[in-house]
Amino acid sequence: MATGEIFSKTTQALFYNYKQLPIQRMLDFDFLCGREIPSVAGIINPGSDGFQKLFFGQEEIAIPVHPTIEAACNAHPTADVFINFASFRSAAASSMSALKQATIRVVAIIAEGVPESDAKQLISYARANNKVIIGPATVGGVQAGAFKIGDTAGTIDNIIQCKLYRPGSVGFVSKSGGMSNEMYNTIARVTDGIYEGIAIGGDVFPGSTLSDHILRFNNIPQVKMMVVLGELGGSDEYSLVEALKQGKVQKPVVAWVSGTCARLFKSEVQFGHAGAKSGGELESAQGKNQALRDAGAVVPTSFEALESVIKETFEKLVEEGKVPIVPEITPPPIPEDLKTAIKSGKVRAPTHIISTISDDRGEEPCYAGVPMSTIIERGYGVGDVISLLWFKRSLPRYCTQFIEICIMLCADHGPCVSGAHNSIVTARAGKDLVSSLVSGLLTIGPRFGGAIDDAARYFKDAYDRGLTPYEFVEGMKKKGIRVPGIGHRIKSRDNRDKRVQLLQKYAHTHFPSVKYMEYAVQVETYTLSKANNLVMNVDGAIGSLFLDLLSGSGMFSKQEIDEIVEIGYLNGLFVLARSIGLIGHTFDQKRLKQPLYRHPWEDVLYTK
């Protein structure tokens, strides 16, 4: 066991099992104390590596993450404290692994319930190798103004109130972590504060004892008096009694053992800690308090009197000139996290993204204000989801069903079109699904699928301006622009596109108005007089019918319709639909285990 200080203002730790809040509290304490380097050198998260971003004052820092204890110790040879936040199931194994590292000197075990046989092995190894264990079942410890373990001393407000940002003259050791926070506050009220405080943990076999730390404090010049808070159960306090009797402690010791109320109960009492179990007279709080009193410790008559006894002992030391005056300092303010500051109304922070279509902050995601459960309960389909996310409103059922029909009809058009061909070639090259899908989607444009928006734009402009089909087509011809939505490489007057016919039939049956589609049909009649293949294609059908959907539903203003057409909503419908087919072709090639594609020579015209 160490004989003097185990922490300093340059102490650094390795933190096992990443926990954001206790690490950030350590870093905030560092900043409060004016440390130049963070007290957490590295994080060990089994199986992970990289970095974790945290704050050191106002500065955001990246703390390395290591997959193993060995890797962390090799990377940070000056870090000699191991803070173990593993569960009770793995705490013993990881703690032993840390103790066996040459660089580790102190191990703090936070978990409760570590098996007693494992705890005994850890203690035996640590004592044989002159190492220190704090815990199990501990919140840790703190050296005021220098270093603290995890959540020791609680919130920043409590730390400031207890003046732990600068060293005092009192060494404190306790079994209870919760009572430690209370005692830090008590000691700060009636003395110049804590120099070092340790919670040894409440398990039956603590890694280090009350007397271990009192003997350490006795050898630290800055510690002028000690305060001990024990509890009923076990015999740890008697090792302190023996040390006092043998004259190993020359500084005043104020002690109290909690649990005097146990005698009020008729049967044996088990308090909160595994070791706090009322047993025979020797293990009782009364028996321990009397033994400490007889050995020379200052023991009050009750817990309520503990504060006044600490005050009297400290004031006597001051009168004797044994306590130097501790200069008071004003610690720097800890910057608030932005989220906390915004919530409390202290700051206004500009946002970087605006979303008007969905919100996932509540108990369940919402699409355009409609909860996900409502979407499912009302039997909404894909068309309804598109109407919410694209148009931010619930369209009538005939509209959403039309959208679904468009998606089904446009999902695929065989393996030979450019998009499917690209996806097939990419899949056969061994690429992943996303790469294969994207290679196909990248071909969508004015010549492949992308004519829906242009068809809607030109048909709308011509109809709204009152152009005859002749004026429209010939005007486009003069500009050198092909009429979008008209023309097909395979389909003709005598071989109509079945998809177009199905869409037109649905619209005639369900739409209140089909004026734009009828205009497109008139344009088709004129273009067919010029060539047999200048037939309306699926792009022209969807483009014109979507205009009828938007205008006939009565749910969109003229400005909204113009914006929808201009932004490219309709082409988005083709992208969404064709993704289904492109994914299918990718899966098909991979399922068939097709080899790398190479275009045949005979299909290439080689020229000079």
Side-chain angles (χ1 to χ4, degrees):
M1 180 69 190
T3 56
E5 294 188 65
I6 56 175
F7 306 129
S8 73
K9 206 164 186 173
T10 58
T11 295
Q12 284 195 295
L14 297 175
F15 199 102
Y16 187 88
N17 199 11
Y18 177 67
K19 304 287 183 183
Q20 189 267 340
L21 187 56
I23 296 177
Q24 187 59 65
R25 283 179 170 172
M26 288 178 67
L27 298 175
D28 287 344
F29 181 76
D30 297 343
F31 181 73
L32 206 65
C33 299
R35 280 182 59 125
E36 295 182 0
I37 58 171
S39 60
V40 181
I43 297 166
I44 303 160
N45 220 21
S48 303
D49 56 15
F51 295 88
Q52 283 289 349
K53 294 196 302 179
L54 293 128
F55 283 99
F56 188 59
Q58 283 188 314
E59 179 186 0
E60 196 169 23
I61 60 174
I63 296 182
V65 176
H66 304 279
T68 65
I69 294 171
E70 293 77 9
C73 291
N74 289 333
H76 310 284
T78 58
D80 59 2
V81 177
F82 183 84
I83 301 173
N84 195 346
F85 265 77
S87 71
F88 72 91
R89 297 178 185 86
S90 59
S94 49
S95 295
M96 182 61 80
S97 178
L99 286 169
K100 290 181 178 180
Q101 304 301 312
T103 55
I104 298 299
R105 197 169 45 87
V106 179
V107 172
I109 306 171
I110 309 302
E112 294 184 48
V114 173
E116 293 177 5
S117 59
D118 291 339
K120 289 178 180 179
Q121 288 181 9
L122 291 170
I123 295 167
S124 176
Y125 186 89
R127 291 192 179 277
N129 291 274
N130 198 33
K131 300 197 176 188
V132 179
I133 295 176
I134 302 173
T138 181
V139 296
V142 57
Q143 183 171 315
F147 177 84
K148 91 176 183 84
I149 294 171
D151 292 317
T152 301
T155 65
I156 287 296
D157 289 341
N158 189 62
I159 288 169
I160 293 174
Q161 191 171 353
C162 298
K163 301 179 182 179
L164 293 172
Y165 51 83
R166 55 97 176 121
S169 303
V170 181
F172 172 73
V173 62
S174 167
K175 286 186 176 180
S176 168
M179 285 304 298
S180 293
N181 288 353
E182 184 67 32
M183 289 305 299
Y184 293 149
N185 203 303
T186 298
I187 292 169
R189 284 199 301 268
V190 296
T191 72
D192 61 2
I194 291 287
Y195 183 80
E196 186 183 318
I198 298 290
I200 65 169
D203 279 2
V204 176
F205 297 102
S208 53
T209 65
L210 299 173
S211 59
D212 286 336
H213 293 287
I214 289 297
L215 292 172
R216 274 200 314 107
F217 296 159
N218 189 67
N219 295 329
I220 299 174
Q222 296 94 326
V223 175
K224 306 302 180 183
M225 64 173 284
M226 285 86 89
V227 175
V228 180
L229 189 62
E231 60 188 19
L232 81 168
S235 58
D236 186 14
E237 289 81 359
Y238 288 103
S239 61
L240 176 55
V241 169
E242 289 304 311
L244 288 167
K245 285 181 177 179
Q246 293 170 18
K248 294 180 180 180
V249 183
Q250 290 80 41
K251 299 174 183 178
V253 176
V254 177
W256 176 255
V257 178
S258 297
T260 54
C261 65
R263 286 186 175 175
L264 299 175
F265 298 92
K266 293 181 180 179
S267 60
E268 186 179 279
V269 179
Q270 171 71 58
F271 286 78
H273 294 152
K277 185 176 182 181
S278 61
E281 178 60 30
L282 282 176
E283 293 189 16
S284 70
Q286 286 86 347
K288 291 181 180 182
N289 279 327
Q290 189 58 52
L292 286 165
R293 189 178 293 115
D294 293 341
V298 182
V299 181
T301 56
S302 66
F303 179 77
E304 289 73 17
L306 181 59
E307 180 175 334
S308 60
V309 169
I310 295 171
K311 181 180 180 182
E312 291 168 8
T313 305
F314 180 76
E315 288 178 347
K316 183 178 179 182
L317 289 171
V318 172
E319 291 173 6
E320 294 171 354
K322 293 181 180 180
V323 178
I325 296 175
V326 176
E328 283 299 335
I329 60 173
T330 301
I334 299 294
E336 276 192 276
D337 289 340
L338 183 59
K339 189 182 294 185
T340 304
I342 291 173
K343 192 173 182 179
S344 63
K346 293 181 179 179
V347 297
R348 295 182 301 192
T351 56
H352 296 90
I353 293 177
I354 300 174
S355 175
T356 65
I357 64 169
S358 62
D359 190 340
D360 62 345
R361 295 171 299 176
E363 293 183 2
E364 58 178 319
C366 292
Y367 294 166
V370 180
M372 189 64 65
S373 57
T374 301
I375 292 172
I376 301 302
E377 289 164 0
R378 293 183 180 177
Y380 282 5
V382 172
D384 298 285
V385 171
I386 291 173
S387 76
L388 292 171
L389 291 179
W390 291 15
F391 303 107
K392 300 199 300 181
R393 66 205 72 188
S394 290
L395 295 174
R397 182 57 188 152
Y398 78 86
C399 295
T400 59
Q401 192 169 358
F402 175 76
I403 292 173
E404 291 175 4
I405 291 171
C406 290
I407 292 173
M408 289 188 287
L409 294 179
C410 295
D412 188 53
H413 202 59
C416 297
V417 295
S418 57
H421 181 81
N422 265 28
S423 290
I424 289 169
V425 171
T426 306
R428 290 178 60 167
K431 299 292 284 185
D432 58 278
L433 171 63
V434 174
S435 300
S436 303
L437 171 61
V438 169
S439 69
L441 291 176
L442 288 174
T443 64
I444 294 176
R447 296 183 180 180
F448 172 56
I452 302 177
D453 283 317
D454 284 340
R457 291 184 189 116
Y458 284 112
F459 284 144
K460 184 177 188 302
D461 178 70
Y463 179 87
D464 291 350
R465 288 199 291 139
L467 299 180
T468 65
Y470 168 82
E471 291 171 329
F472 171 47
V473 174
E474 296 302 323
M476 294 286 283
K477 184 177 180 181
K478 287 180 182 179
K479 297 175 185 177
I481 303 173
R482 293 182 178 181
V483 178
I486 296 292
H488 203 285
R489 292 186 62 185
I490 299 174
K491 301 299 178 181
S492 63
R493 182 201 310 270
D494 303 317
N495 180 27
R496 297 297 181 102
D497 191 331
K498 189 68 175 177
R499 297 177 299 174
V500 173
Q501 294 176 325
L502 289 168
L503 290 169
Q504 290 175 330
K505 181 180 178 181
Y506 181 86
H508 277 300
T509 305
H510 298 93
F511 281 25
S513 168
V514 288
K515 61 182 182 181
Y516 286 107
M517 186 192 73
E518 289 175 345
Y519 181 75
V521 169
Q522 293 173 20
V523 171
E524 177 193 45
T525 301
Y526 179 75
T527 56
L528 284 174
S529 68
K530 291 177 168 292
N532 203 38
N533 70 323
L534 293 181
V535 67
M536 186 189 305
N537 57 40
V538 72
D539 294 344
I542 293 176
S544 59
L545 285 171
F546 238 101
L547 292 174
D548 288 324
L549 182 153
L550 294 171
S551 62
S553 67
M555 300 186 70
F556 300 90
S557 66
K558 181 181 182 304
Q559 182 180 354
E560 285 178 318
I561 296 173
D562 291 340
E563 186 178 55
I564 287 169
V565 172
E566 185 60 34
I567 287 176
Y569 274 52
L570 310 187
N571 203 33
L573 203 62
F574 184 84
V575 171
L576 176 62
R578 193 49 58 96
S579 293
I580 299 171
L582 299 180
I583 291 171
H585 284 296
T586 300
F587 289 155
D588 190 39
Q589 297 302 307
K590 290 187 176 295
R591 181 174 58 249
L592 295 172
K593 298 181 174 60
Q594 290 296 286
L596 178 68
Y597 175 83
R598 180 181 174 85
H599 206 73
W601 286 331
E602 58 269 22
D603 196 36
V604 178
L605 175 62
Y606 293 94
T607 63
K608 294 184 179 178

